[in-house]
Amino acid sequence: MLLHPLDLTTALRPSLLPDETLLFVQDAVGLYEGKFKLPKYQNGQAYLTSHRVCYVDHQEPRSCSVAVQLKDVERPDFYAGFLKSSPKITLYPKPSKRLSHATPIAGSSQLSSAPPSGPSTPAASLPSTATWVCPICSFSNPIPSNFDPAIANARTPLPPCLACGIKPPMVHVVKAAIAAMTNRQTAGGPSSVPVESPGGSISCPRCTFRNHPSLAVCEMCGASLASVADKRLELAKDITRTESPGPFLNSSPVGKDIVDCIKLSFRGGGEKIFYERLKNALVQRKWLLQSAPPIPKPRPASGSGQPDDCSTQTPERQKVVGVAGLEKRGLEQRRNNEAVIGTAFEDLDALMTSAKEVIALAEQFASQANIGTSGNPEANAAASALSLVTTKDMLGSKSESLYLSELSRNLAEWLTDDTRGILKTEGGIMTLVDLWAVFNRARGGVELVSPTDFEKAARKWDELKLPVRLRQFKSGLLVVQGRDRTDDKTIATLLAWLKDLHSEPPATEVSWDWRLYGRGVTAQETAERFGWSVGVATEELEMAEENGALCREQGLDGLRFWENWIVKEVGEC
Amino acid sequence: MTTHTNPSTSLDPDNTTFKFPSHYSFPPFFTLQPVHTTRTSQLHSWSRLIQSYCQHHHLWTLSLTDALPSPLFTNTHLSRSLSLRDAREIISWMTTSEAGRRAEWTSPTSSTSSTSSTSTTSGDREDQKTRCYIFWRRPEEWASVIEEWVDRTGQKGSVLTLYEIVESESTRKEEFWGMERGLLERCLRVLVKGGRAQVFGREGSEGVKFF
């Protein structure tokens, strides 16, 4: 299946995988399968992430949301729209999934349109770990899997270096690709190449499990067995490759499970940026980075930064033991941190690329700084919040409301996140101003949200049916609280507390019958009792007073609130 | 509220002490509540308290400045007291129809010289409202009480002086004994209007004849 079900967060946004980043959001999008509209998938938000294209339906977000993995996408196509027809982006699925099912002798079911270049077979694909090292910044970039050294020429598009953004010379990449392939073929041996055993089963290169020959990935460990097929095809000694898939790939043997293409129809605009970013995401292939080798650590002496260099350090270190070893290790660690920070902040692109490490470093520093103190949730929240940001440049320029609704969801997610417990520490309620400050602090000074946008976003919670709500007290103070927290509940807790005061004698001698009336409480006491801020406590008390549950006493020592015996006529005796 | 009359009709104020309602010992009672429903309830309670207090002590008029330190507005036990502004607020509310017009400000320029002579000491406009009638019975109610007394004692058709009605020994036991002259005149005016009495004579020595 090309369309995968999608997990949503509490705020009805796609929950992102680790390392996945949000690139773009557009609303008023509909889905087509082939030429036909998909019912129930006609009005929703399209989320472009580094790994997926997600569709979240506006009406039925829980049931009608799907995602397309970018790794399954062969290429996108753009249709600008004509008269009443909206602009569309077509996603053509990769044939790889069907490859395993289609036998070479598919026969008459194959399409007759043969490619011009004769019997087309995919070239020996590169191992997924094939990399080229950027001559500028020495970053190890993955070689695009469709890159073929045999047919590459000056016009072949090459992805720029992920770290420094500079396009590599063609020769460099070709060399790296060939090296990777020969490396695999020669040095790999039985451990890296899937072995076809006499029984027809293929043993996995990683775990040696014997898989059925028709499988593309190992059943046990998920390692790719694709090279087996490649190996078979290599026998043909024909490494010409066309950009379009071969004819037999177009046959659809499995029927409805496989779709020709998925179209996204952009009824509210935004298609151009979406297409641009989609193309970029497809070029960057962030999902490959998980298997890519770590960034080579440049040594202070040589700027060449060969990946092998780091291997020379390790044996040295292991030799030293004891306190000296620990000290040396600490020194190396510091030097390493220095290098990471140094390279990361050299330019912005580099920072984006090494964000993961910088964040990890920042978290480490934060935890070191926090040793001894009881964990400050805001500091912990700071680094991890970076991955959640919705920024204006992710969204279409003209759709201010979309930015706000995304920010609104973002906020709600952040608030309801149990691991942070922002609302819980504030007694379930906090003022919008406090929240704004905490939120921006958690963003770590990047992509700060303006107060106006923040308030507008907060006002959208009701409209978007999110689990938090914005409440305005009659003084105009705006507070944020969970949706399940109603005035009645607040009053009930307040009254329960005041009732308790009937049974415990007041601290100082009082002249009234405290068993009958309890005692009055100030906003200060209430704030301490429930963990609210004093402003919130005042407002909650006044709300309860307005409701008739409490009454006030203006004394010399300030305003106190009492149970409302004035109305209740308690001692009518 | 308007039908409320306190049944404690002890005519000997010095023998029994006034029993304050339970609200009186509730500290917030001495702060005028800002919330409407609570405030209304509080005003009613105060109105009841003031009326029954005045009835108990046979007070016809109340001077706020004099009454504020009195037990009516000051609970020495709680060390809480009503402020002059709040007290004025309560009395003003009692003059409204919502409260059954249980009070009435006496203006210093009114013809009832007996009440006005002591009421004004300063010329401040707001300070004029320091003295008021407390109608624990409305003048109409008083009129019927007097009429009932006349009927009971068989004095219909005879001429009575105002002094006789409110100050003589014969009415010593009646509720209206000691009523201020201005209030009595108003009660009689009600009866005259209804055709059940006639007032004649000069200013200061009027006589009244009940039919």
Side-chain angles (χ1 to χ4, degrees):
Chain A
M1 277 290 279
L2 184 61
L3 294 173
H4 297 270
L6 181 61
D7 283 339
L8 296 181
T9 62
T10 49
L12 303 179
R13 300 190 334 153
S15 57
L16 298 184
L17 308 168
D19 295 337
E20 193 174 5
T21 51
L22 196 57
L23 299 175
F24 192 67
V25 188
Q26 178 61 48
D27 55 358
V29 172
L31 282 190
Y32 284 65
E33 187 180 315
K35 285 187 171 178
F36 304 102
K37 285 181 183 173
L38 280 168
K40 291 189 182 173
Y41 294 84
Q42 287 309 304
N43 184 18
Q45 307 210 9
Y47 291 83
L48 176 67
T49 73
S50 56
H51 292 42
R52 291 177 295 178
V53 173
C54 307
Y55 170 87
V56 179
D57 193 65
H58 195 70
Q59 298 293 329
E60 294 281 340
R62 291 276 170 210
S63 56
C64 295
S65 295
V66 287
V68 177
Q69 303 276 358
L70 285 187
K71 68 177 177 201
D72 296 338
V73 173
E74 172 72 25
R75 64 191 170 88
D77 203 4
F78 185 70
Y79 166 72
F82 183 68
L83 296 180
K84 279 187 162 179
S85 159
S86 305
K88 290 181 186 62
I89 291 176
T90 313
L91 303 175
Y92 291 102
K94 259 192 193 150
S96 64
K97 292 229 161 176
R98 276 176 269 169
L99 177 62
S100 56
H101 296 290
T103 49
I105 39 159
S108 60
S109 70
Q110 295 171 359
L111 288 187
S112 55
S113 65
S117 54
S120 155
T121 49
S125 72
L126 295 161
S128 58
T129 53
T131 55
W132 57 270
V133 175
C134 175
I136 311 284
C137 67
S138 76
F139 178 73
S140 300
N141 293 281
I143 297 175
S145 61
N146 60 357
F147 182 80
D148 186 352
I151 58 160
N153 57 32
R155 285 188 304 281
T156 311
L158 275 178
C161 170
L162 287 177
C164 62
I166 295 181
K167 284 204 176 182
M170 171 61 66
V171 197
H172 192 75
V173 181
V174 170
K175 265 187 204 164
I178 290 171
M181 277 199 290
T182 50
N183 195 23
R184 190 199 64 196
Q185 280 162 1
T186 57
S191 64
S192 67
V193 177
V195 177
E196 216 167 340
S197 67
S201 56
I202 303 168
S203 62
C204 171
R206 202 191 289 169
C207 68
T208 71
F209 179 75
R210 291 189 167 187
N211 289 283
H212 190 269
S214 65
L215 290 173
V217 290
C218 174
E219 246 180 323
M220 282 293 135
C221 63
S224 172
L225 300 175
S227 52
V228 178
D230 299 339
K231 204 180 166 197
R232 268 208 303 270
L233 295 162
E234 266 170 26
L235 299 175
K237 294 288 174 203
D238 190 345
I239 51 165
T240 49
R241 184 199 152 94
T242 52
E243 282 298 310
S244 62
F248 62 92
L249 300 178
N250 280 342
S251 63
S252 54
V254 199
K256 301 229 170 183
D257 259 5
I258 289 176
V259 292
D260 287 341
C261 58
I262 294 291
K263 279 185 191 167
L264 295 136
S265 177
F266 290 81
R267 286 149 196 163
E271 69 284 347
K272 283 196 179 117
I273 310 169
F274 195 96
Y275 185 61
E276 280 306 310
R277 300 210 176 158
L278 175 62
K279 277 200 298 188
N280 283 339
L282 283 170
V283 169
Q284 286 189 348
R285 292 161 197 268
K286 284 267 174 67
W287 58 92
L288 291 178
L289 277 182
Q290 280 168 330
S291 51
I295 299 171
K297 287 131 186 122
R299 300 179 63 192
S302 71
S304 65
Q306 289 299 313
D308 312 16
D309 288 356
C310 52
S311 62
T312 58
Q313 280 183 350
T314 42
E316 269 175 42
R317 192 187 65 198
Q318 283 159 354
K319 278 174 201 161
V320 193
V321 289
V323 177
L326 285 174
E327 275 179 352
K328 194 169 167 63
R329 209 164 133 194
L331 190 72
E332 264 171 32
Q333 186 69 42
R334 277 196 295 280
R335 205 180 291 153
N336 189 24
N337 289 350
E338 214 176 279
V340 169
I341 294 175
T343 50
F345 288 96
E346 264 171 16
D347 69 44
L348 262 183
D349 278 341
L351 180 59
M352 297 290 276
T353 324
S354 49
K356 208 167 105 186
E357 276 151 61
V358 175
I359 289 171
L361 210 58
E363 272 171 351
Q364 190 193 329
F365 287 155
S367 64
Q368 275 170 0
N370 268 353
I371 285 173
T373 68
S374 57
N376 178 7
E378 285 160 28
N380 297 341
S384 45
L386 272 173
S387 60
L388 260 178
V389 287
T390 300
T391 57
K392 263 189 173 158
D393 66 305
M394 269 183 215
L395 307 159
S397 54
K398 57 186 168 183
S399 52
E400 173 82 0
S401 69
L402 180 60
Y403 168 67
L404 290 179
S405 71
E406 278 307 299
L407 182 63
S408 178
R409 287 171 200 277
N410 199 170
L411 256 175
E413 253 168 49
W414 187 72
L415 274 174
T416 50
D417 191 343
D418 286 337
T419 56
R420 293 197 189 92
I422 306 283
L423 274 182
K424 209 171 283 171
T425 54
E426 293 282 334
I429 182 169
M430 69 194 295
T431 64
L432 192 68
V433 178
D434 287 349
L435 178 65
W436 176 73
V438 173
F439 185 72
N440 267 345
R441 209 178 307 151
R443 283 199 164 189
V446 214
E447 290 295 348
L448 299 181
V449 182
S450 80
T452 336
D453 285 348
F454 198 82
E455 193 192 328
K456 281 184 193 160
R459 288 194 188 280
K460 277 189 170 272
W461 284 333
D462 267 341
E463 194 185 310
L464 298 170
K465 301 184 183 68
L466 296 176
V468 282
R469 72 185 177 112
L470 184 70
R471 198 172 116 205
Q472 185 155 24
F473 286 112
K474 66 177 196 288
S475 69
L477 181 74
L478 289 165
V479 295
V480 175
Q481 58 184 183
R483 186 158 292 285
D484 52 343
R485 238 182 89 99
T486 58
D487 286 358
D488 292 345
K489 274 191 188 168
T490 309
I491 293 173
T493 49
L494 279 173
L495 284 182
W497 178 42
L498 288 172
K499 190 144 261 166
D500 287 346
L501 295 176
H502 287 230
S503 49
E504 60 184 67
T508 55
E509 194 62 35
V510 291
S511 47
W512 63 89
D513 186 1
W514 52 265
R515 281 191 191 79
L516 184 63
Y517 294 121
R519 66 183 176 88
V521 292
T522 59
Q524 181 74 43
E525 283 176 273
T526 317
E528 277 170 24
R529 160 91 187 184
F530 294 104
W532 299 336
S533 70
V534 176
V536 167
T538 311
E539 294 291 347
E540 289 285 28
L541 287 168
E542 279 177 6
M543 179 274 296
E545 186 197 19
E546 183 89 356
N547 197 279
L550 302 183
C551 63
R552 67 171 59 193
E553 182 208 356
Q554 183 71 59
L556 292 174
D557 53 346
L559 197 59
R560 285 178 175 274
F561 287 88
W562 295 69
E563 279 173 275
N564 195 345
W565 296 111
I566 292 179
V567 168
K568 270 192 269 180
E569 307 272 346
V570 57
E572 205 56 85
C573 45
Chain B
M1 179 56 222
T2 50
T3 57
H4 174 88
T5 48
N6 200 313
S8 75
T9 50
S10 83
L11 295 178
D12 218 351
D14 300 321
N15 280 359
T16 55
T17 49
F18 179 70
K19 188 175 176 298
F20 283 98
S22 60
H23 285 145
Y24 187 70
S25 51
F26 183 47
F29 193 53
F30 293 87
T31 302
L32 212 50
Q33 300 296 318
V35 178
H36 183 257
T37 48
T38 314
R39 187 192 184 91
T40 310
S41 172
Q42 188 186 21
L43 288 171
H44 276 296
S45 301
W46 266 112
S47 169
R48 267 202 302 275
L49 171 61
I50 293 171
Q51 285 176 55
S52 51
Y53 183 86
C54 289
Q55 183 173 24
H56 186 90
H57 293 282
H58 263 255
L59 298 173
W60 306 99
T61 58
L62 214 55
S63 162
L64 285 188
T65 40
D66 295 344
L68 270 181
S70 77
L72 174 59
F73 290 127
T74 300
N75 187 337
T76 46
H77 182 64
L78 283 184
S79 60
R80 299 286 195 284
S81 67
L82 206 63
S83 70
L84 177 62
R85 221 185 51 193
D86 287 352
R88 193 170 280 146
E89 189 94 351
I90 290 169
I91 302 293
S92 294
W93 179 81
M94 284 173 72
T95 63
T96 63
S97 58
E98 186 193 357
R101 276 194 278 274
R102 290 283 154 177
E104 196 170 292
W105 295 110
T106 58
S107 64
T109 53
S110 82
S111 59
T112 57
S113 55
S114 59
T115 56
S116 62
S117 56
T118 54
S119 62
T120 50
T121 45
S122 77
D124 195 355
R125 202 173 53 250
E126 190 57 23
D127 271 4
Q128 292 178 356
K129 290 186 173 181
T130 54
R131 201 168 180 84
C132 58
Y133 285 119
I134 301 295
F135 296 139
W136 33 288
R137 298 250 164 112
R138 294 277 308 150
E140 299 79 35
E141 289 163 28
W142 280 123
S144 54
V145 168
I146 293 170
E147 198 179 14
E148 189 266 340
W149 166 76
V150 168
D151 197 31
R152 182 150 41 85
T153 51
Q155 301 187 77
K156 270 196 178 174
S158 56
V159 175
L160 297 164
T161 61
L162 298 195
Y163 174 85
E164 266 182 299
I165 295 174
V166 294
E167 286 170 61
S168 71
E169 277 305 307
S170 57
T171 59
R172 188 74 179 83
K173 296 279 184 223
E174 300 301 327
E175 254 192 300
F176 50 84
W177 188 84
M179 188 188 278
E180 290 196 10
R181 188 60 70 89
L183 184 55
L184 179 63
E185 282 170 11
R186 284 186 57 174
C187 298
L188 295 178
R189 242 177 278 140
V190 172
L191 288 171
V192 170
K193 220 175 207 174
R196 287 169 290 173
Q198 195 184 353
V199 179
F200 46 83
R202 281 195 334 271
E203 175 98 11
S205 60
E206 294 103 328
V208 59
K209 185 178 179 184
F210 293 91
F211 305 121

